[in-house]
Amino acid sequence: MATTHLEDLPSHLLVEILSRVGDSGDLASCRLASRTFLSLSRLVTSVSVSFRSASTSPVPFKSRVLNLVSLLSASPLSLSLSLSTERGRASRDADSDDDDGFWFDDADDLHLMSVDFLSTWLPLVCERLTELSVADYWFQSCFRRSDALSLISVLCNKLLKLEVRNAWLSVDGLKPMLRLSSLTLEFIRLDDEDLEKINECFPHLRFLSLIGVGGLKKPHVCLSHLKTFFWSVSDTPKSIAIHAPHLTELHLSCIEPKFFSLETPHLSLLDLMIERPSGDIKLGHFQDLETLRFRSWDYPKLFKVLNGVHTVKTLELNVPYGEVPAKLESGVVMISDFVELFCGLEELQLFGLARYLIYSGDEDVTVCLKRLVIEVEESDFYDFRTISEVLKMCTPCVVVLMFSADEPPASIKKEIIDKYAQKFPEFRWR
């Protein structure tokens, strides 16, 4: 039987294999294996370059990036490039902070969003670049304000996806990027208080993720093409507004906004955490909403401003982490409220909330479900009253008991399920 060597495969398959190698160091090793690999490596379309603190490579990280980009610059194919650094470094332990809880590395050898560094290699591949991901080294980037966004917007006219992490970004000189459809900013200090420049310069975004973005005061997202949005807002902004007429999936967490407004009529999934909704809340009208996830200490306030939620099939209710506010210890949700509000409900999920439900006056209220999911906390292992009260309100359905992270032994779980199954045999237990 003839032996088939890897090099005998068609060229396009070899390029696909090399593109999936992932790391530039491994790609370099492949290039040294044969002349065929050396030649075809220039056609690779996806490359990841990562700094590892334990690396013994004599080549500086920035030089590695420049060498690799120079190699790929001759190809006419589109390119996806990822640059990242680890949090720790061999030269200093990132966990051994100074007395003030923070230290700043005054070197710049890993400051990847430096305009000087980007200017050395970005012009070589900007016409080919369709995806760019940069995870900067925070201890070198946090006090260095970068105009990298402006440079990228000027050079990378074909960019479809941009991800930046761990940096301080200016929006001065930012130009419209009409092809960009996906933007991720994580742990960013952003000089765009109201997100005005983001709205103006990235008008065709379909995916947006803002996680740990600081520097915001009254952020207002106004993007007409946006479909999916992940947003984790600190407790600094007191005014939050989203106008996205075609948004279908929203994951939003905030603390205590004084003004909160959603104009998102076509949402199908809303995952919303407002720990203390104390101000003016406007949730608009939802005509396509099917899945609703809430985490809050004041459900009555949220329920009062909900409109058009008769389409909701799955409702998940959570309590925030931490202690219950004293004024809410007697309960946070009236059963009759959501029974009337969510008349098309098929699945109800209760996480950490069962003990805060209010049953007074609800004797005649019946919850018709297909599936009920309840988190079983440690206090419920031998006290069955809380969950039993919930079951008394429901017509027979499938019941799923979810145990918390500190799971009891299998014997105790079986004992709990058997106990409920004996008391409520008409339900189906999972």
Side-chain angles (χ1 to χ4, degrees):
M1 180 180 295
T3 303
T4 301
H5 297 282
L6 190 61
E7 293 184 15
D8 295 332
L9 294 174
S11 296
H12 71 279
L13 288 181
L14 288 176
V15 172
E16 179 68 19
I17 292 172
L18 290 174
S19 296
R20 294 174 182 272
V21 168
D23 188 85
S24 61
D26 297 330
L27 180 61
S29 299
C30 292
R31 291 177 58 222
L32 297 176
S34 71
R35 292 182 178 179
T36 301
F37 285 171
L38 177 61
S39 174
L40 294 178
S41 64
R42 293 177 172 85
L43 302 179
V44 167
T45 59
S46 179
V47 179
S48 172
V49 191
S50 300
F51 173 84
R52 297 184 178 91
S53 57
S55 173
T56 57
S57 173
V59 182
F61 181 67
K62 288 185 175 180
S63 297
R64 287 172 51 202
V65 174
L66 183 58
N67 292 339
L68 183 64
V69 171
S70 299
L71 169 70
L72 300 172
S73 61
S75 171
L77 303 177
S78 60
L79 177 65
S80 173
L81 184 60
S82 175
L83 309 178
S84 65
T85 61
E86 286 185 348
R87 185 176 184 274
R89 290 191 59 197
S91 60
R92 185 168 185 176
D93 183 3
D95 293 325
S96 59
D97 298 342
D98 290 337
D99 292 339
D100 61 359
F102 181 78
W103 57 267
F104 171 61
D105 189 338
D106 59 2
D108 65 355
D109 53 317
L110 293 178
H111 180 27
L112 304 184
M113 291 301 286
S114 162
V115 170
D116 291 340
F117 172 58
L118 289 173
S119 299
T120 62
W121 63 265
L122 197 55
L124 301 177
V125 292
C126 60
E127 289 300 318
R128 297 178 49 213
L129 206 57
T130 57
E131 297 184 8
L132 176 62
S133 176
V134 181
D136 213 331
Y137 182 58
W138 178 247
F139 295 102
Q140 291 185 7
S141 65
C142 61
F143 289 141
R144 292 185 171 101
R145 185 172 182 264
S146 172
D147 292 321
L149 283 183
S150 174
L151 180 64
I152 292 171
S153 69
V154 170
L155 295 178
C156 303
N157 297 318
K158 296 181 180 179
L159 201 63
L160 303 176
K161 181 179 181 179
L162 175 62
E163 299 179 352
V164 183
R165 296 174 173 84
N166 310 326
W168 178 8
L169 299 179
S170 165
V171 293
D172 292 344
L174 185 61
K175 304 297 181 183
M177 301 183 70
L178 302 183
R179 293 193 179 189
L180 195 73
S181 62
S182 177
L183 175 64
T184 297
L185 300 178
E186 293 188 6
F187 307 109
I188 296 294
R189 180 178 176 183
L190 184 66
D191 290 352
D192 189 12
E193 294 180 352
D194 303 334
L195 295 179
E196 186 175 325
K197 276 291 189 178
I198 296 293
N199 295 325
E200 175 188 345
C201 295
F202 307 123
H204 294 148
L205 286 179
R206 296 173 65 86
F207 175 91
L208 177 60
S209 179
L210 303 176
I211 307 298
V213 175
L216 306 180
K217 290 188 176 179
K218 294 183 178 180
H220 179 198
V221 174
C222 184
L223 295 167
S224 59
H225 297 275
L226 195 62
K227 291 286 189 179
T228 304
F229 189 10
F230 290 80
W231 195 6
S232 176
V233 188
S234 70
D235 59 354
T236 301
K238 299 305 180 183
S239 174
I240 300 169
I242 301 175
H243 176 78
H246 293 98
L247 190 67
T248 59
E249 182 176 340
L250 174 62
H251 303 261
L252 174 62
S253 64
C254 50
I255 308 299
E256 192 175 5
K258 300 301 180 184
F259 175 78
F260 180 85
S261 175
L262 289 185
E263 296 180 50
T264 53
H266 292 291
L267 277 180
S268 62
L269 187 155
L270 174 57
D271 183 356
L272 179 61
M273 183 186 81
I274 306 182
E275 286 196 18
R276 298 179 294 275
S278 58
D280 185 15
I281 298 177
K282 299 178 181 179
L283 295 186
H285 182 82
F286 304 113
Q287 60 190 48
D288 301 317
L289 194 62
E290 293 187 354
T291 301
L292 177 59
R293 300 171 185 159
F294 271 157
R295 177 177 284 119
S296 179
W297 281 124
D298 196 349
Y299 283 99
K301 186 176 182 65
L302 295 179
F303 286 169
K304 287 178 182 178
V305 296
L306 280 175
N307 294 297
V309 291
H310 58 277
T311 57
V312 171
K313 303 297 183 185
T314 301
L315 174 64
E316 178 183 318
L317 302 178
N318 299 261
V319 291
Y321 300 110
E323 295 184 4
V324 186
K327 65 178 181 178
L328 299 177
E329 287 182 351
S330 60
V332 295
V333 177
M334 179 76 76
I335 293 288
S336 57
D337 287 345
F338 69 78
V339 171
E340 181 178 352
L341 189 61
F342 305 99
C343 55
L345 197 61
E346 295 181 355
E347 179 172 337
L348 176 62
Q349 302 181 10
L350 301 174
F351 292 93
L353 190 68
R355 66 187 63 259
Y356 304 117
L357 298 178
I358 304 174
Y359 304 97
S360 178
D362 293 341
E363 291 80 2
D364 298 329
V365 175
T366 302
V367 185
C368 298
L369 300 171
K370 294 182 179 179
R371 194 167 185 262
L372 174 64
V373 179
I374 304 179
E375 180 183 21
V376 183
E377 300 181 84
E378 187 174 355
S379 58
D380 300 320
F381 289 174
Y382 301 102
D383 184 353
F384 300 94
R385 288 175 296 178
T386 298
I387 296 177
S388 294
E389 289 295 326
V390 178
L391 295 172
K392 290 176 182 178
M393 305 293 298
C394 300
T395 57
C397 61
V398 174
V399 181
V400 180
L401 298 183
M402 301 287 291
F403 291 88
S404 57
D406 299 326
E407 285 196 3
S411 58
I412 295 181
K413 286 195 291 185
K414 184 177 184 304
E415 178 184 342
I416 293 172
I417 294 175
D418 289 345
K419 182 79 172 182
Y420 284 119
Q422 292 173 11
K423 191 173 182 179
F424 299 92
E426 66 276 19
F427 289 85
R428 289 166 290 165
W429 295 89
R430 300 287 185 269

